[in-house]
Amino acid sequence: MSVYLDNAATTKPCEEAVRAALAAMTENFGNPSSLHRAGLEAQLAMDGARKIIADSIGADPSCLCFTSGATESNNLALRGASAAYGRKAKRIVISSVEHASVEETAADLEKKGFEVTRVSPREDGRFYAADFLNACGEDVCLVSMMYVNNETGYILPVKETFAMIKRKFPHIITHTDCVQAYMKLAVKASALNADLISLSGHKVHGGKGVGALYIKKGVRVLPVVTGGKQEKGIRSGTESVPMICAFGAAVEKLAPTINDRWERLTALKAHLMSRLSEMENISVNSPDDGSPYVVNISAEGKRSEIMLHFLESKGVYVSSGSACSKGQQSGVLGQFGITGKRADSALRISMSAETTEAELDEFISALGEGMEKVRG
Ligand code: PLP
């Protein structure tokens, strides 16, 4: 049996999600845009999932636009909002630790005539709302700031920042990538003061290839993908009904237990930290008050990839940082002050609702063996 501790990369679909997808693929395979009964049934199934997900963020179902995942949601948010609002205000503000799907999209918009201001953490490794506010001005059309960082679990002050920005610059559109926060922390559109929120199905046990972008009523997002005008014309293309139903089923299961799971994961993280503190040459890169679902450490003198494969040989799966960067070192750890050899030896342990203390103990024992056996 393997120990899967790479849940920030993806999670195992829950049984409810698998069943919902199977039903949509076998019994209910109509095209939701078709006018006959089979189409209507697919539409109704999709509406059910839309309502569950919208309810979970305190939004009206009409505000939810289904996508193929958070990468697409982030692209739609940045490209779509900047196209709608960026004719005069040609500056975009983002945090310096965004996922590549925000960072690369902003960099592409930069090439196309937008100016991008990246707000970094201060020397203490923390982000401050005032720094985002100071970076804003009349020339800014959009601010994008993730809620929980996928590499370290750091929680950014989104609520406070967006409240300050909306007070001083009500014209600025606020976007938050909530992929690593959703179903772990309360993600409520109005409490966060967010105009746009990106979500992903496969990070919440729902399955890959589905995501959503919440678009506040009255906020304009121009389409990136054009065609048959599905999803109110904002995202054309036949919706992936099975994956949308799976996403809805997973959220329905997880939504009632957000707080209980946070508490359980906090206890698990405390156990992991205590076991790590007994080991030599291990440093912790995640903040104490970060998300308990993600713990980033460095195993001094052992390159991430080599240690990762040693752990894999022991049946333990972790990540060397962000899975999306496929072994390429991202600049995010550097932004948090983790550089050089320490960054080269970083490992990300990411947990889920199903992670147990026994699994963490197995990881610790494999890591201990790795510290002795792995060279470089
Ligand atoms: N944003 C964050 C913070 C992520 O961690 C990820 C995936 O790792 C994404 C966006 C991309 O999500 P998806 O795989 O659904 O495209």
Side-chain angles (χ1 to χ4, degrees):
M1 277 288 280
S2 59
V3 173
Y4 185 77
L5 295 172
D6 199 11
N7 290 281
T10 200
T11 55
K12 182 181 172 187
C14 62
E15 265 177 45
E16 289 80 350
V18 174
R19 255 188 270 126
L22 186 65
M25 292 180 93
T26 50
E27 297 149 29
N28 194 7
F29 59 86
N31 184 326
S33 297
S34 292
L35 295 177
H36 46 65
R37 176 135 211 104
L40 178 68
E41 274 166 13
Q43 175 77 52
L44 290 174
M46 199 166 72
D47 286 350
R50 197 187 301 277
K51 176 156 173 34
I52 291 166
I53 298 165
D55 279 353
S56 75
I57 59 168
D60 191 87
S62 65
C63 294
L64 219 62
C65 174
F66 284 120
T67 64
S68 64
T71 296
E72 189 189 327
S73 301
N74 286 340
N75 268 266
L76 181 57
L78 267 73
R79 294 182 195 278
S82 63
Y85 297 98
R87 208 167 295 160
K88 288 189 197 129
K90 291 199 89 68
R91 197 153 63 82
I92 297 169
V93 174
I94 65 172
S95 89
S96 62
V97 298
E98 293 298 316
H99 184 265
S101 52
V102 167
E103 169 51 42
E104 292 286 317
T105 305
D108 187 49
L109 290 169
E110 217 167 9
K111 285 188 207 135
K112 293 178 172 142
F114 282 88
E115 196 188 324
V116 177
T117 303
R118 293 170 177 80
V119 176
S120 294
R122 290 191 194 168
E123 289 238 322
D124 60 1
R126 307 189 72 82
F127 281 96
Y128 289 85
D131 296 346
F132 283 89
L133 186 69
N134 290 338
C136 286
E138 292 302 327
D139 62 334
V140 170
C141 59
L142 175 73
V143 173
S144 180
M145 180 183 188
M146 70 193 333
Y147 198 173
V148 172
N149 181 260
N150 51 303
E151 295 193 36
T152 64
Y154 181 85
I155 302 170
L156 282 83
V158 173
K159 199 169 160 175
E160 203 186 331
T161 303
F162 286 1
M164 281 164 83
I165 289 174
K166 284 287 181 191
R167 221 173 293 133
K168 192 157 177 201
F169 303 107
H171 74 281
I172 295 180
I173 302 298
T174 51
H175 167 245
T176 176
D177 172 348
C178 286
V179 167
Q180 301 291 349
Y182 186 51
M183 289 295 117
K184 298 179 171 73
L185 279 169
V187 170
K188 301 287 177 194
S190 60
L192 286 175
N193 267 299
D195 294 319
L196 304 169
I197 297 176
S198 297
L199 307 173
S200 174
H202 74 105
K203 313 287 183 173
V204 297
H205 304 275
K208 292 160 195 65
V210 65
L213 181 67
Y214 158 80
I215 306 170
K216 188 180 175 177
K217 251 190 199 130
V219 169
R220 279 188 314 128
V221 172
L222 298 189
V224 173
V225 180
T226 48
K229 295 202 170 25
Q230 288 88 346
E231 298 299 295
K232 299 202 298 182
I234 296 168
R235 197 272 191 180
S236 286
T238 303
E239 291 95 340
S240 175
V241 181
M243 297 322 295
I244 289 171
C245 291
F247 188 11
V251 169
E252 187 169 38
K253 181 181 181 189
L254 287 182
T257 58
I258 289 177
N259 294 338
D260 293 349
R261 275 183 291 110
W262 186 268
E263 252 176 57
R264 199 177 85 76
L265 267 290
T266 300
L268 273 183
K269 179 180 170 184
H271 176 74
L272 177 62
M273 301 300 270
S274 141
R275 295 295 317 268
L276 288 168
S277 71
E278 292 159 5
M279 298 176 75
E280 276 176 33
N281 302 322
I282 298 288
S283 43
V284 176
N285 302 324
S286 292
D288 291 343
D289 58 355
S291 163
Y293 287 82
V294 181
V295 175
N296 195 303
I297 62 169
S298 288
E300 203 179 292
K302 316 290 177 192
R303 273 200 294 132
S304 310
E305 225 175 296
I306 300 177
M307 181 60 97
L308 182 150
H309 289 304
F310 176 83
L311 293 173
E312 179 194 14
S313 76
K314 299 284 156 193
V316 177
Y317 300 140
V318 299
S319 142
S320 59
S322 162
C324 307
S325 55
K326 274 239 158 165
Q328 260 179 31
Q329 207 185 77
S330 86
V332 168
L333 287 181
Q335 283 294 314
F336 286 113
I338 296 136
T339 54
K341 290 213 160 77
R342 187 159 164 192
D344 291 341
S345 64
L347 296 171
R348 180 184 68 181
I349 301 111
S350 50
M351 296 173 259
S352 83
E354 281 151 31
T355 305
T356 63
E357 207 170 278
E359 287 181 319
L360 294 179
D361 289 340
E362 259 188 70
F363 159 69
I364 290 287
S365 127
L367 181 66
E369 203 180 324
M371 291 306 281
E372 276 171 28
K373 292 189 179 158
V374 168
R375 297 275 153 257

